């Protein structure tokens, strides 16, 4: 599972908008297994994405991760991102 997560985190960083959206969807589907120190910051970067679909997919992924993703840094980043919507 860690190898799979690593591949999708790389896709978040280097993929085009479609790939970033798909990576968010897959990681969100892994729920708490993917709520790691590598995944959450990568998803927060996508929350600031200029493309709407990857950004929305990142929001959904963080929501699905539940309590593990509900850290103060995540909540602050989501609040800031909402200001730009």
């Amino acid at each position: 599972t860690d190898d799979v997560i690593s591949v999708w985190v790389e896709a978040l960083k280097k993929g085009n908008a479609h790939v970033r959206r798909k990576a968010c969807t897959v990681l969100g589907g892994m729920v708490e297994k993917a709520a790691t120190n590598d995944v959450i910051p990568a998803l927060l970067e996508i929350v600031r994405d200029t493309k709407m679909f990857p950004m929305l997919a990142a929001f959904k992924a963080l929501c699905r991760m539940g309590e593990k993703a509900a850290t103060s840094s995540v909540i602050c980043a989501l609040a800031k991102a909402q200001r730009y919507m």
Side-chain angles (χ1 to χ4, degrees):
T1 304
D2 291 340
D3 292 337
V4 172
I5 290 171
S6 295
V7 168
W8 287 111
V9 169
E10 278 302 306
L12 287 175
K13 296 176 182 176
K14 297 182 180 177
N16 62 32
H18 176 72
V19 171
R20 291 191 311 274
R21 185 187 78 176
K22 181 66 176 176
C24 290
T25 302
V26 169
L27 290 167
M30 298 176 105
V31 193
E32 290 190 6
K33 290 178 190 171
T36 66
N37 291 336
D38 295 330
V39 174
I40 292 171
L43 287 171
L44 287 175
E45 283 299 314
I46 303 300
V47 164
R48 297 181 197 98
D49 204 297
T50 58
K51 303 289 184 184
M52 182 178 69
F53 292 114
M55 181 182 61
L56 292 174
F59 272 111
K60 286 181 183 179
L62 288 166
C63 289
R64 286 184 181 150
M65 290 179 185
E67 289 180 14
K68 266 194 140 174
T71 64
S72 58
S73 61
V74 171
I75 293 166
C76 288
L78 294 174
K80 287 179 186 175
Q82 190 172 9
R83 284 188 225 150
Y84 300 107
M85 295 176 90

